[in-house]
Amino acid sequence: MKQLALFPLNSFILPEGRMRLRIFEPRYVRLISEASAGKRDFALAQINPYVSQQHPDRILPLATRVCIEDFEQLDDGLLGITIAGIEKVQIAQRWQEADQLHVAQVQPLDNWPALQLDAGYQPLMLQLQKLLQQQPALQQLYPSPKYSDATWLASRWLELLPMQPALKQRLALEDSPAPCLDSLQAWMSYHA
């Protein structure tokens, strides 16, 4: 088991995912400072928006350990960071420190291996290509997209699509990206 600080958000990230964050709360400034100094890694943890902030299930059990790729000072003077997902982790035990920073004992989980995309999932690939072309901020995060990698494609769709947090968690915990791609393909066909 490993101890990680937690950065709880409504957002979701998986290995190889990238995201920009604005840092302003003192507890998260400390988290970034500790991570930058190599004192303690952190994970992005998904919030369950359907329960109160005090509920024991407020932070969902699947999180992703991340690293800081870049820092910047934003126009409003706040700290901006770009993070990248490294590995999925399962939260085993969680508590808060004096400044309300969430910390957890976590168990590493296996990441999906890189897999050649099956031709049947071509529509998902084309839709993601189109989405990235239409969203310059997303395109900047992924200058070298891996569209033909089933794992990369499934992970990016899970991060981007608005769906129930519990469903994202369940699909990300499958043994391979195939069940996720099947569900996404069915969902897109239904909404076409």
Short mmCIF file of all heavy atoms in Angstrom, two decimals, residues 23-65:
data_model
loop_
_atom_site.label_atom_id
_atom_site.label_comp_id
_atom_site.label_asym_id
_atom_site.label_seq_id
_atom_site.Cartn_x
_atom_site.Cartn_y
_atom_site.Cartn_z
N ILE A 23 -5.08 26.05 -9.31
CA ILE A 23 -4.81 25.78 -7.91
C ILE A 23 -4.94 27.07 -7.11
O ILE A 23 -4.24 28.05 -7.40
CB ILE A 23 -3.38 25.20 -7.72
CG1 ILE A 23 -3.12 24.03 -8.67
CG2 ILE A 23 -3.13 24.82 -6.27
CD1 ILE A 23 -4.03 22.86 -8.52
N PHE A 24 -5.84 27.07 -6.11
CA PHE A 24 -6.00 28.28 -5.32
C PHE A 24 -6.22 28.01 -3.83
O PHE A 24 -5.87 28.81 -3.00
CB PHE A 24 -7.11 29.18 -5.88
CG PHE A 24 -8.42 28.47 -6.07
CD1 PHE A 24 -9.37 28.45 -5.07
CD2 PHE A 24 -8.70 27.84 -7.28
CE1 PHE A 24 -10.58 27.80 -5.25
CE2 PHE A 24 -9.91 27.19 -7.47
CZ PHE A 24 -10.86 27.16 -6.46
N GLU A 25 -6.82 26.85 -3.49
CA GLU A 25 -7.04 26.56 -2.07
C GLU A 25 -5.71 26.21 -1.40
O GLU A 25 -4.90 25.48 -1.98
CB GLU A 25 -8.00 25.39 -1.90
CG GLU A 25 -9.43 25.71 -2.26
CD GLU A 25 -10.36 24.55 -1.93
OE1 GLU A 25 -10.27 24.02 -0.80
OE2 GLU A 25 -11.15 24.17 -2.81
N PRO A 26 -5.47 26.73 -0.19
CA PRO A 26 -4.19 26.47 0.49
C PRO A 26 -3.83 24.99 0.61
O PRO A 26 -2.67 24.62 0.45
CB PRO A 26 -4.39 27.11 1.87
CG PRO A 26 -5.40 28.20 1.64
CD PRO A 26 -6.32 27.67 0.56
N ARG A 27 -4.82 24.13 0.86
CA ARG A 27 -4.51 22.70 1.00
C ARG A 27 -3.97 22.11 -0.31
O ARG A 27 -3.12 21.24 -0.30
CB ARG A 27 -5.71 21.91 1.50
CG ARG A 27 -6.93 21.98 0.60
CD ARG A 27 -8.12 21.26 1.17
NE ARG A 27 -9.35 21.66 0.50
CZ ARG A 27 -10.50 21.07 0.72
NH1 ARG A 27 -10.60 20.07 1.56
NH2 ARG A 27 -11.58 21.47 0.09
N TYR A 28 -4.46 22.61 -1.45
CA TYR A 28 -3.99 22.10 -2.73
C TYR A 28 -2.68 22.75 -3.16
O TYR A 28 -1.89 22.14 -3.87
CB TYR A 28 -5.08 22.23 -3.79
CG TYR A 28 -6.30 21.42 -3.40
CD1 TYR A 28 -7.55 22.01 -3.31
CD2 TYR A 28 -6.17 20.08 -3.05
CE1 TYR A 28 -8.66 21.27 -2.91
CE2 TYR A 28 -7.27 19.33 -2.65
CZ TYR A 28 -8.51 19.94 -2.58
OH TYR A 28 -9.59 19.21 -2.16
N VAL A 29 -2.45 23.99 -2.71
CA VAL A 29 -1.13 24.60 -2.91
C VAL A 29 -0.09 23.75 -2.18
O VAL A 29 0.98 23.46 -2.72
CB VAL A 29 -1.12 26.06 -2.42
CG1 VAL A 29 0.30 26.62 -2.44
CG2 VAL A 29 -2.05 26.93 -3.29
N ARG A 30 -0.42 23.31 -0.96
CA ARG A 30 0.48 22.43 -0.20
C ARG A 30 0.67 21.10 -0.93
O ARG A 30 1.79 20.59 -1.05
CB ARG A 30 -0.06 22.18 1.21
CG ARG A 30 0.82 21.22 2.03
CD ARG A 30 0.44 21.20 3.50
NE ARG A 30 -0.80 20.53 3.79
CZ ARG A 30 -0.88 19.24 4.11
NH1 ARG A 30 0.18 18.46 4.17
NH2 ARG A 30 -2.06 18.70 4.39
N LEU A 31 -0.41 20.52 -1.42
CA LEU A 31 -0.33 19.25 -2.15
C LEU A 31 0.64 19.38 -3.33
O LEU A 31 1.51 18.53 -3.53
CB LEU A 31 -1.73 18.87 -2.64
CG LEU A 31 -1.89 17.66 -3.55
CD1 LEU A 31 -3.23 16.99 -3.30
CD2 LEU A 31 -1.77 18.02 -5.00
N ILE A 32 0.52 20.46 -4.11
CA ILE A 32 1.38 20.68 -5.27
C ILE A 32 2.82 20.90 -4.83
O ILE A 32 3.76 20.36 -5.44
CB ILE A 32 0.87 21.88 -6.12
CG1 ILE A 32 -0.53 21.60 -6.66
CG2 ILE A 32 1.84 22.20 -7.25
CD1 ILE A 32 -0.69 20.33 -7.44
N SER A 33 3.00 21.66 -3.77
CA SER A 33 4.35 21.91 -3.25
C SER A 33 5.02 20.61 -2.81
O SER A 33 6.18 20.35 -3.13
CB SER A 33 4.26 22.89 -2.07
OG SER A 33 5.51 23.07 -1.48
N GLU A 34 4.28 19.76 -2.09
CA GLU A 34 4.83 18.48 -1.63
C GLU A 34 5.13 17.55 -2.81
O GLU A 34 6.17 16.90 -2.84
CB GLU A 34 3.86 17.79 -0.67
CG GLU A 34 3.77 18.46 0.69
CD GLU A 34 2.76 17.81 1.62
OE1 GLU A 34 2.05 16.86 1.19
OE2 GLU A 34 2.67 18.24 2.78
N ALA A 35 4.24 17.53 -3.78
CA ALA A 35 4.45 16.67 -4.95
C ALA A 35 5.67 17.14 -5.74
O ALA A 35 6.49 16.34 -6.18
CB ALA A 35 3.21 16.65 -5.83
N SER A 36 5.80 18.45 -5.91
CA SER A 36 6.93 19.01 -6.66
C SER A 36 8.26 18.74 -5.97
O SER A 36 9.28 18.57 -6.63
CB SER A 36 6.75 20.52 -6.83
OG SER A 36 5.57 20.78 -7.54
N ALA A 37 8.24 18.69 -4.64
CA ALA A 37 9.47 18.45 -3.87
C ALA A 37 9.76 16.96 -3.71
O ALA A 37 10.73 16.58 -3.06
CB ALA A 37 9.36 19.13 -2.51
N GLY A 38 8.88 16.11 -4.26
CA GLY A 38 9.08 14.67 -4.14
C GLY A 38 8.72 14.10 -2.79
O GLY A 38 9.09 12.97 -2.46
N LYS A 39 7.97 14.86 -1.97
CA LYS A 39 7.61 14.39 -0.62
C LYS A 39 6.44 13.40 -0.64
O LYS A 39 6.41 12.47 0.15
CB LYS A 39 7.26 15.58 0.28
CG LYS A 39 8.44 16.47 0.59
CD LYS A 39 8.02 17.61 1.49
CE LYS A 39 9.18 18.54 1.78
NZ LYS A 39 8.75 19.71 2.54
N ARG A 40 5.46 13.66 -1.51
CA ARG A 40 4.29 12.78 -1.55
C ARG A 40 3.60 12.94 -2.90
O ARG A 40 3.29 14.05 -3.31
CB ARG A 40 3.33 13.11 -0.41
CG ARG A 40 2.07 12.27 -0.40
CD ARG A 40 1.25 12.38 0.87
NE ARG A 40 0.89 13.74 1.25
CZ ARG A 40 0.33 14.07 2.41
NH1 ARG A 40 0.06 13.13 3.29
NH2 ARG A 40 0.04 15.31 2.69
N ASP A 41 3.35 11.84 -3.58
CA ASP A 41 2.61 11.86 -4.84
C ASP A 41 1.14 12.14 -4.55
O ASP A 41 0.69 12.05 -3.40
CB ASP A 41 2.73 10.52 -5.56
CG ASP A 41 4.11 10.29 -6.15
OD1 ASP A 41 4.90 11.25 -6.28
OD2 ASP A 41 4.41 9.13 -6.50
N PHE A 42 0.40 12.43 -5.61
CA PHE A 42 -1.04 12.62 -5.42
C PHE A 42 -1.82 11.96 -6.53
O PHE A 42 -1.27 11.58 -7.57
CB PHE A 42 -1.40 14.10 -5.26
CG PHE A 42 -1.32 14.95 -6.49
CD1 PHE A 42 -2.46 15.32 -7.18
CD2 PHE A 42 -0.10 15.44 -6.94
CE1 PHE A 42 -2.40 16.15 -8.30
CE2 PHE A 42 -0.02 16.27 -8.06
CZ PHE A 42 -1.18 16.62 -8.73
N ALA A 43 -3.10 11.81 -6.27
CA ALA A 43 -4.01 11.19 -7.23
C ALA A 43 -5.21 12.09 -7.42
O ALA A 43 -5.65 12.77 -6.49
CB ALA A 43 -4.46 9.82 -6.72
N LEU A 44 -5.73 12.09 -8.63
CA LEU A 44 -6.98 12.76 -8.91
C LEU A 44 -8.09 11.76 -8.58
O LEU A 44 -8.07 10.64 -9.09
CB LEU A 44 -7.07 13.19 -10.37
CG LEU A 44 -8.23 14.13 -10.67
CD1 LEU A 44 -7.89 15.54 -10.21
CD2 LEU A 44 -8.52 14.15 -12.15
N ALA A 45 -8.99 12.16 -7.70
CA ALA A 45 -10.07 11.28 -7.26
C ALA A 45 -11.40 11.89 -7.69
O ALA A 45 -11.58 13.11 -7.61
CB ALA A 45 -10.04 11.10 -5.75
N GLN A 46 -12.31 11.06 -8.15
CA GLN A 46 -13.60 11.54 -8.64
C GLN A 46 -14.60 11.66 -7.50
O GLN A 46 -14.71 10.77 -6.65
CB GLN A 46 -14.12 10.59 -9.71
CG GLN A 46 -15.28 11.15 -10.48
CD GLN A 46 -15.74 10.22 -11.59
OE1 GLN A 46 -15.50 9.03 -11.56
NE2 GLN A 46 -16.43 10.77 -12.57
N ILE A 47 -15.33 12.76 -7.52
CA ILE A 47 -16.36 13.02 -6.51
C ILE A 47 -17.68 12.40 -6.95
O ILE A 47 -18.03 12.41 -8.13
CB ILE A 47 -16.55 14.54 -6.33
CG1 ILE A 47 -15.32 15.15 -5.66
CG2 ILE A 47 -17.80 14.86 -5.53
CD1 ILE A 47 -15.37 16.66 -5.59
N ASN A 48 -18.42 11.88 -5.98
CA ASN A 48 -19.79 11.43 -6.21
C ASN A 48 -20.70 12.63 -5.92
O ASN A 48 -20.89 12.99 -4.76
CB ASN A 48 -20.12 10.27 -5.27
CG ASN A 48 -21.54 9.78 -5.44
OD1 ASN A 48 -22.33 10.35 -6.17
ND2 ASN A 48 -21.87 8.71 -4.75
N PRO A 49 -21.24 13.27 -6.95
CA PRO A 49 -22.03 14.49 -6.73
C PRO A 49 -23.42 14.23 -6.14
O PRO A 49 -24.13 15.16 -5.83
CB PRO A 49 -22.15 15.09 -8.13
CG PRO A 49 -22.09 13.90 -9.04
CD PRO A 49 -21.18 12.91 -8.37
N TYR A 50 -23.77 12.96 -5.97
CA TYR A 50 -25.12 12.62 -5.52
C TYR A 50 -25.22 12.41 -4.01
O TYR A 50 -26.28 12.03 -3.51
CB TYR A 50 -25.62 11.38 -6.26
CG TYR A 50 -25.62 11.60 -7.75
CD1 TYR A 50 -24.68 10.97 -8.56
CD2 TYR A 50 -26.51 12.49 -8.36
CE1 TYR A 50 -24.65 11.20 -9.94
CE2 TYR A 50 -26.48 12.72 -9.72
CZ TYR A 50 -25.56 12.07 -10.50
OH TYR A 50 -25.52 12.31 -11.85
N VAL A 51 -24.12 12.64 -3.30
CA VAL A 51 -24.15 12.52 -1.84
C VAL A 51 -23.58 13.81 -1.23
O VAL A 51 -22.90 14.57 -1.91
CB VAL A 51 -23.36 11.29 -1.34
CG1 VAL A 51 -23.97 10.00 -1.86
CG2 VAL A 51 -21.89 11.37 -1.71
N SER A 52 -23.83 14.03 0.06
CA SER A 52 -23.35 15.24 0.72
C SER A 52 -21.83 15.22 0.86
O SER A 52 -21.20 14.16 0.77
CB SER A 52 -23.99 15.37 2.10
OG SER A 52 -23.43 14.39 2.97
N GLN A 53 -21.26 16.38 1.12
CA GLN A 53 -19.80 16.47 1.26
C GLN A 53 -19.29 15.65 2.44
O GLN A 53 -18.13 15.22 2.44
CB GLN A 53 -19.37 17.92 1.42
CG GLN A 53 -19.51 18.70 0.14
CD GLN A 53 -18.76 20.01 0.15
OE1 GLN A 53 -18.07 20.33 1.11
NE2 GLN A 53 -18.88 20.75 -0.92
N GLN A 54 -20.11 15.40 3.44
CA GLN A 54 -19.68 14.64 4.60
C GLN A 54 -19.90 13.13 4.45
O GLN A 54 -19.45 12.35 5.28
CB GLN A 54 -20.40 15.13 5.87
CG GLN A 54 -19.98 16.52 6.32
CD GLN A 54 -20.46 17.63 5.39
OE1 GLN A 54 -21.57 17.58 4.85
NE2 GLN A 54 -19.62 18.63 5.18
N HIS A 55 -20.57 12.73 3.41
CA HIS A 55 -20.90 11.32 3.21
C HIS A 55 -19.63 10.50 3.00
O HIS A 55 -18.71 10.94 2.31
CB HIS A 55 -21.83 11.17 2.00
CG HIS A 55 -22.51 9.86 1.92
ND1 HIS A 55 -21.90 8.72 1.44
CD2 HIS A 55 -23.77 9.48 2.26
CE1 HIS A 55 -22.73 7.71 1.49
NE2 HIS A 55 -23.88 8.15 1.98
N PRO A 56 -19.55 9.29 3.60
CA PRO A 56 -18.34 8.47 3.44
C PRO A 56 -18.05 8.07 2.00
O PRO A 56 -16.90 7.77 1.67
CB PRO A 56 -18.61 7.24 4.32
CG PRO A 56 -20.03 7.29 4.71
CD PRO A 56 -20.54 8.67 4.48
N ASP A 57 -19.07 8.06 1.13
CA ASP A 57 -18.85 7.70 -0.28
C ASP A 57 -18.71 8.93 -1.18
O ASP A 57 -18.89 8.83 -2.39
CB ASP A 57 -20.02 6.84 -0.78
CG ASP A 57 -20.08 5.50 -0.06
OD1 ASP A 57 -19.02 5.00 0.34
OD2 ASP A 57 -21.20 4.98 0.09
N ARG A 58 -18.40 10.08 -0.59
CA ARG A 58 -18.26 11.32 -1.38
C ARG A 58 -17.14 11.18 -2.42
O ARG A 58 -17.26 11.67 -3.53
CB ARG A 58 -17.97 12.50 -0.45
CG ARG A 58 -17.74 13.82 -1.14
CD ARG A 58 -18.98 14.35 -1.77
NE ARG A 58 -18.72 15.69 -2.31
CZ ARG A 58 -19.51 16.33 -3.12
NH1 ARG A 58 -20.65 15.80 -3.49
NH2 ARG A 58 -19.21 17.52 -3.56
N ILE A 59 -16.04 10.53 -2.03
CA ILE A 59 -14.93 10.31 -2.96
C ILE A 59 -15.01 8.86 -3.40
O ILE A 59 -14.99 7.94 -2.58
CB ILE A 59 -13.58 10.64 -2.30
CG1 ILE A 59 -13.52 12.15 -1.99
CG2 ILE A 59 -12.43 10.23 -3.20
CD1 ILE A 59 -12.27 12.59 -1.28
N LEU A 60 -15.10 8.65 -4.72
CA LEU A 60 -15.25 7.30 -5.27
C LEU A 60 -13.93 6.53 -5.18
O LEU A 60 -12.86 7.12 -5.13
CB LEU A 60 -15.76 7.39 -6.70
CG LEU A 60 -17.19 7.98 -6.79
CD1 LEU A 60 -17.53 8.37 -8.21
CD2 LEU A 60 -18.20 7.01 -6.23
N PRO A 61 -14.01 5.18 -5.14
CA PRO A 61 -12.83 4.37 -4.82
C PRO A 61 -11.74 4.28 -5.89
O PRO A 61 -10.59 4.03 -5.56
CB PRO A 61 -13.41 2.99 -4.55
CG PRO A 61 -14.74 2.97 -5.21
CD PRO A 61 -15.23 4.38 -5.23
N LEU A 62 -12.07 4.50 -7.15
CA LEU A 62 -11.04 4.45 -8.19
C LEU A 62 -10.47 5.86 -8.37
O LEU A 62 -11.21 6.81 -8.60
CB LEU A 62 -11.63 3.97 -9.52
CG LEU A 62 -10.70 4.06 -10.73
CD1 LEU A 62 -9.50 3.11 -10.58
CD2 LEU A 62 -11.45 3.77 -12.01
N ALA A 63 -9.16 5.98 -8.26
CA ALA A 63 -8.47 7.25 -8.48
C ALA A 63 -7.32 6.97 -9.44
O ALA A 63 -7.03 5.82 -9.76
CB ALA A 63 -7.97 7.83 -7.17
N THR A 64 -6.67 8.02 -9.90
CA THR A 64 -5.52 7.87 -10.79
C THR A 64 -4.36 8.70 -10.25
O THR A 64 -4.50 9.92 -10.07
CB THR A 64 -5.86 8.30 -12.23
OG1 THR A 64 -6.92 7.46 -12.72
CG2 THR A 64 -4.65 8.15 -13.15
N ARG A 65 -3.25 8.01 -10.00
CA ARG A 65 -2.03 8.71 -9.58
C ARG A 65 -1.56 9.52 -10.78
O ARG A 65 -1.57 9.02 -11.92
CB ARG A 65 -0.96 7.73 -9.13
CG ARG A 65 0.31 8.41 -8.61
CD ARG A 65 1.25 7.41 -7.96
NE ARG A 65 1.77 6.43 -8.89
CZ ARG A 65 2.87 6.59 -9.64
NH1 ARG A 65 3.57 7.70 -9.58
NH2 ARG A 65 3.26 5.62 -10.45
#
